[in-house]
């Protein structure tokens, strides 16, 4: 049996996971809540998650070693800024053979870009799934900042705040992958994935961006294109 696991803040990685779910006629297991995982053995596990500040998101890091599978496909979505060494690092956390691993460029959460991606990359991965064969991942160069301060950019650049529109429905508390929200207050465990902001039914959570972060992201984007 094949299984698809996904962590997603604002839906970009979910869009990629859905492609596999539709192609392989399989459900997606949300790995943002650690306890939600049934640890049954599967033949191939496809794990889809975003790159956050050149690192593996914390909820994914803790779940990866617990997935019980013979083969693994690792997919890291990213906002075309940097990928760190995320695929290699995640390959070291899983217990199984890696048969495919790919960075999938998509829109950047903080630039409000849509979750678009190149389907051809994913179609190639389907071929690897049909004919599983071990691949060896190369270690990539990773900047010093993501190593020393794993959440530096988002911690300094992003502030989430609650407005008077909040009706205390507590959906944000339930959805938060870090359990960082209590009675509408966000504590320092927040990883700024913006899941709470995206899913608030009253649009009562807002984000303020440090102008330096916006400038940095726009500059990176312009120099890449
Ligand atoms: C906290 C945070 C950190 C991010 N760090 C990076 C990064 O280092 N490099 C990059 O290219 N994109 C970065 N992005 C953009 C996301 O990787 C990209 O938008 C991803 O597709 C978001 O997926 P999601 O909606 O499933 O969370 C970051 C986004 C967030 C929210």
């Amino acid at each position: 049996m094949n299984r698809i696991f996904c962590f997603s803040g604002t839906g970009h990685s979910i869009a990629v996971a859905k492609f596999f779910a539709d192609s392989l006629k399989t459900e997606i297991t949300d790995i943002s809540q650690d306890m939600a995982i049934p640890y049954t053995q599967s033949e191939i596990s496809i794990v889809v998650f975003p790159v956050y500040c050149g690192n593996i998101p914390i909820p994914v890091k803790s779940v990866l070693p617990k997935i019980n599978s013979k083969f693994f496909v690792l997919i890291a979505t990213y906002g075309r800024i940097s990928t760190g060494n995320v695929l290699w690092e995640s390959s070291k956390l899983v217990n199984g053979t890696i048969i495919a691993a790919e960075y999938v460029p998509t829109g950047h959460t903080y630039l409000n870009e849509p979750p678009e991606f190149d389907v051809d990359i994913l179609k190639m991965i389907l071929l690897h799934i049909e004919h599983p064969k071990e691949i060896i991942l190369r270690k990539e160069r990773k900047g010093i900042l993501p190593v020393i301060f794993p959440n530096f950019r988002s911690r300094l650049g992003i502030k989430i705040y609650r407005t008077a529109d909040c009706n205390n429905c507590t959906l944000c508390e339930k959805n938060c992958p870090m359990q960082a929200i209590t009675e509408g207050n966000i504590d320092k465990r927040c990883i700024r994935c913006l899941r709470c902001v995206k899913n608030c039914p009253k649009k009562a959570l807002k984000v303020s961006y440090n102008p330096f972060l916006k400038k940095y992201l726009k500059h990176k984007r312009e120099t890449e294109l």
Side-chain angles (χ1 to χ4, degrees):
M1 192 181 82
N2 300 336
R3 298 197 58 178
I4 301 165
F5 297 91
C6 182
F7 168 78
S8 184
T10 52
H12 293 63
S13 307
I14 275 284
V16 171
K18 277 194 178 134
F19 169 88
F20 288 107
D22 292 344
S23 308
L24 302 167
K25 313 259 175 294
T26 313
E27 302 280 296
I28 301 170
T29 302
D30 178 7
I31 52 171
S32 55
Q33 308 286 346
D34 196 354
M35 64 279 184
I37 288 210
Y39 301 111
T40 46
Q41 166 85 41
S42 51
E43 177 76 3
I44 302 179
S45 288
I46 302 158
V47 193
V48 188
F49 57 92
V51 173
Y52 280 176
C53 301
N55 284 295
I56 307 166
I58 295 168
V60 179
K61 229 177 186 170
S62 63
V63 161
L64 281 175
K66 298 176 189 163
I67 301 175
N68 196 358
S69 189
K70 186 173 173 196
F71 298 120
F72 279 89
V73 173
L74 302 171
I75 314 279
T77 68
Y78 74 108
R80 307 201 316 273
I81 301 294
S82 58
T83 56
N85 184 27
V86 158
L87 287 178
W88 186 85
E89 285 168 2
S90 43
S91 76
K92 295 291 157 201
L93 292 175
V94 299
N95 298 306
T97 304
I98 312 292
I99 56 163
E102 203 68 61
Y103 292 109
V104 175
T106 176
H108 199 299
T109 311
Y110 295 160
L111 291 170
N112 283 323
E113 292 170 333
E116 284 164 358
F117 55 86
D118 182 354
V119 177
D120 288 341
I121 303 178
L122 307 188
K123 284 183 181 161
M124 286 296 292
I125 295 168
L126 283 179
L127 295 178
H128 288 270
I129 293 169
E130 268 176 46
H131 308 285
K133 208 171 118 200
E134 181 172 17
I135 60 153
I136 305 294
L137 282 169
R138 260 188 312 121
K139 194 174 176 177
E140 297 149 280
R141 237 190 86 239
K142 181 171 174 175
I144 191 78
L145 215 53
V147 177
I148 309 177
F149 304 110
N151 299 317
F152 185 76
R153 275 199 298 256
S154 57
R155 198 167 276 276
L156 244 72
I158 306 284
K159 275 210 165 61
I160 303 168
Y161 59 95
R162 189 162 54 131
T163 66
D165 292 332
C166 172
N167 64 353
N168 298 310
C169 73
T170 71
L171 196 68
C172 53
E173 280 181 37
K174 289 175 195 130
N175 272 335
C176 177
M178 296 301 292
Q179 291 82 48
I181 310 178
T182 323
E183 289 171 11
N185 298 311
I186 301 171
D187 65 41
K188 62 179 185 332
R189 286 172 293 180
C190 171
I191 53 171
R192 279 114 179 127
C193 68
L194 305 194
R195 182 184 274 201
C196 55
V197 177
K198 187 170 162 77
N199 291 301
C200 176
K202 289 279 172 192
K203 303 276 169 262
L205 291 166
K206 303 281 180 213
V207 188
S208 76
Y209 293 93
N210 182 315
F212 289 108
L213 177 71
K214 275 273 181 200
K215 229 173 155 178
Y216 167 78
L217 294 177
K218 282 195 176 132
H219 170 73
K220 283 285 238 180
R221 181 53 47 75
E222 280 157 17
T223 48
E224 185 237 24
L225 291 173

